Structure formats: structure tokens, C-alpha cells
Amino acid sequence: MKSTQLFKKVFAGSLALASVLAISTTAFAAKTKVADVSQYQGNINWSKASKDLKMTIIRVKHGNAGDSDYRIDTKRNVNANGAAKYGVPFGQYDYAEFDSVADAQKDARQFYALSSTKAKFLVLDNEKRKSGVKSSEQTYVNAWLKTMRSLTNKPLVYYTYESFVTSHKINYSKFDGAWLAKYSSAKPKYTAALWQYTSTGSLSGISGHVDLSKIQNSSTVANWTKSTKATYMSSVKAGQKIRATRGINRYKTANLTGKIAGVKYNTTLTAKTIAKSSGGTYRIQLSDGSYITANKAYVQAE
């Protein structure tokens, strides 16, 4: 009798485990879609969308300051927070319109400052060539990439249409992969880890159409969504200039307590020495005696 009851308990437990595994596998299998979103998708129900999404790419801005069509995406933070809350890995993209090397550099700095710290990777959306510009589009792409490399160790991805690569002879091999658009049944002829194949897709949690993409190189895309470790500046020279690459705060102590004031991105500060918090984390003491983070995701040495 006891052995029979034990068998029944073990069997019941096995069924329960099998049921859980089956549900988990089914849920994982359902996460097959890759969508890019912006304010044009309205209020996304991320609880529902997360059931479909393997990954998403969120717009941060369109154009550069001074452009007639320039705008910062009103849903960039809402969408980033929604994706993060429901466990959807995400990158963010910068729809850029370059007219000079300096413009490309400025654009990269603003995009980085506006991007979410939770974004796994960052994308240059390079699909529009401004009229009347002098240098090759490649020159501007290179300037954007070089600036971004100085700001972050996150993967940097190149996006455009297949036709744009052909027209402007873009070499994107120095990026950490490419995401190309071609709305047809035939995938792009150029190397791309991600193929945006339609602009009329559908997704749970979104009313209306959404762009959908297919993964062409799973190992490359997997590398985009890996977490990157925080790295810190461990030494500075007295008088050295430090640029804030994001909005940060100045504090009274190395533990970053006693907020003094905010510091806008792209502000240059003067360092005095390196310091450590009580927990051993590097901080930068400024010439006025206040302290800021030494995290390289927020500051860089000039």
C-alpha cells in the first residue's frame, strides 16, 4: 500500500513537471517575432507583445537637431521600460540624416545620451541621404561609428535598405552586424544578420501594422543581446577634462550621496583625483571637491 502511494506521488509529480516543461517550451516557441517600434505604434500592451517577441528594436529619435523633420520619439522611454519589465531583449535605433562629419559626431552623442541604459545594442538607421552634402555617405557613417565606439562597448549595428547600400556603396563591415530592409520574398543580397521583410506585419499588443524582421544569423544576433559588463575609469590626472556622455549628478561624497546638482550630457568637467566608495567602486573627485561616477557608460576622458 505504501509503495503504491509512493508510486502515485512520484507519477503525479512527473506529470506536473512534464506539464510545466511543456508550457515553458510552448511559451518559448511562441516568441518568434522581431519587431521594431516607435511612437507610431501608439500605446503598446507590452504584457501581450512580450508573448510574441523574441526581440525588439525601439526608435530613439528621427533626424538631427536643426532638421525640419527632427523629433525625439515620445515613446522611447515608455517602450524601453515596457520591454524591460516583461523581459523582452531590446536594442534602440537612431534615424540619422547627416550633412557633415561634425553633424554625425554630434548626432551620435545625442543618440547615446538619449538611449536607455537597458538597451543591449544600438543601431544606426542610415536610409536617407541629405541633398547637397559634400562628402560621401560612407564618411559620415564612419564618423558616427567612431564616435559611438568611444562612448560604449555595446554592439553597434548598421541598418538600411538594400538599395541604399547599392546606391552609396556603403561598407558596414566594421559594425557588429547588419540589419537590412527588403520588402519581398527574396532576402537581401548583401550580408545581414537581420532581414526586415515587411512593414505590414502584426503583433499582439499593437493595433495596426508593425515592421517585422527575420533572423538570418542567429549567433550574431545572440551576441547583440548579451549583457555587457560595467567598466570604470581607475585613474585620472589632476586637471584632466572629463566629458559627461549622459546626464549625471554631482555629489558631496564618494558614495554618491548628498546630491549637489545635475550635469547635462556633453558637459566638460575638471578632474582632481580618483576615489573609491566605501564599497570599493571607483569615483571621480572633481576640482571643486564634488564626486561623480567613474562608470565609462556615463563619462569619458578627454
Side-chain angles (χ1 to χ4, degrees):
M1 182 68 175
K2 289 182 178 179
S3 60
T4 301
Q5 290 176 335
L6 178 61
F7 174 78
K8 287 181 178 179
K9 288 180 179 180
V10 171
F11 182 69
S14 298
L15 285 177
L17 178 60
S19 177
V20 169
L21 289 174
I23 292 172
S24 299
T25 302
T26 301
F28 179 77
K31 294 176 178 289
T32 58
K33 293 186 176 182
V34 177
D36 54 285
V37 299
S38 70
Q39 66 189 52
Y40 296 116
Q41 274 67 55
N43 296 316
I44 298 173
N45 184 325
W46 282 99
S47 176
K48 291 182 178 179
S50 65
K51 304 296 192 301
D52 287 351
L53 284 170
K54 190 178 188 69
M55 182 177 78
T56 189
I57 308 171
I58 298 166
R59 189 179 74 160
V60 169
K61 66 182 188 68
H62 179 113
N64 306 338
D67 294 344
S68 60
D69 57 353
Y70 169 71
R71 55 191 172 276
I72 295 173
D73 197 291
T74 58
K75 296 292 185 180
R76 72 188 193 284
N77 291 332
V78 171
N79 286 335
N81 292 334
K85 179 179 179 180
Y86 290 98
V88 180
F90 71 92
Q92 290 187 305
Y93 72 93
D94 174 22
Y95 185 116
E97 299 173 14
F98 304 131
D99 58 29
S100 68
V101 167
D103 183 55
Q105 295 167 336
K106 181 181 177 181
D107 175 272
R109 288 192 178 280
Q110 187 195 33
F111 169 57
Y112 179 72
L114 292 172
S115 67
S116 169
T117 57
K118 299 172 186 176
K120 300 291 187 181
F121 59 97
L122 300 169
V123 182
L124 169 60
D125 180 345
N126 176 226
E127 61 183 88
K128 183 177 180 181
R129 167 80 172 175
K130 274 191 172 181
S131 61
V133 294
K134 297 179 180 179
S135 296
S136 69
E137 195 68 17
Q138 184 74 58
T139 300
Y140 305 141
V141 169
N142 292 348
W144 186 96
L145 179 61
K146 183 178 180 180
T147 303
M148 289 296 293
R149 289 284 187 215
S150 75
L151 295 170
T152 182
N153 60 354
K154 291 180 179 180
L156 301 175
V157 178
Y158 180 78
Y159 168 90
T160 195
Y161 288 83
E162 180 186 89
S163 57
F164 196 87
V165 177
T166 300
S167 297
H168 301 288
K169 299 178 174 60
I170 302 295
N171 180 345
Y172 49 81
S173 61
K174 292 184 179 180
F175 283 79
D176 299 303
W179 170 30
L180 296 185
K182 183 180 182 182
Y183 303 148
S184 75
S185 58
K187 62 184 180 181
K189 62 182 179 181
Y190 300 107
T191 301
L194 197 62
W195 165 29
Q196 187 184 80
Y197 68 96
T198 183
S199 60
T200 57
S202 61
L203 183 73
S204 298
I206 293 178
S207 58
H209 291 150
V210 63
D211 296 340
L212 293 180
S213 298
K214 294 179 180 179
I215 294 174
Q216 302 297 292
N217 187 318
S218 56
S219 60
T220 296
V221 173
N223 285 333
W224 296 352
T225 57
K226 286 182 178 178
S227 296
T228 53
K229 293 182 179 180
T231 57
Y232 293 80
M233 295 174 60
S234 58
S235 65
V236 295
K237 295 178 181 179
Q240 185 173 6
K241 299 301 180 181
I242 305 296
R243 186 198 296 261
T245 57
R246 292 182 181 275
I248 59 173
N249 296 314
R250 293 190 297 112
Y251 296 91
K252 293 180 180 179
T253 75
N255 286 330
L256 303 187
T257 58
K259 178 182 173 181
I260 297 173
V263 178
K264 293 182 179 180
Y265 95 91
N266 221 25
T267 299
T268 300
L269 305 166
T270 303
K272 177 181 180 182
T273 187
I274 204 74
K276 284 187 178 181
S277 69
S278 57
T281 303
Y282 288 111
R283 313 294 192 200
I284 298 171
Q285 185 179 31
L286 301 176
S287 57
D288 65 359
S290 64
Y291 296 84
I292 60 171
T293 179
N295 189 329
K296 291 181 180 179
Y298 294 85
V299 294
Q300 66 178 174
E302 292 287 275

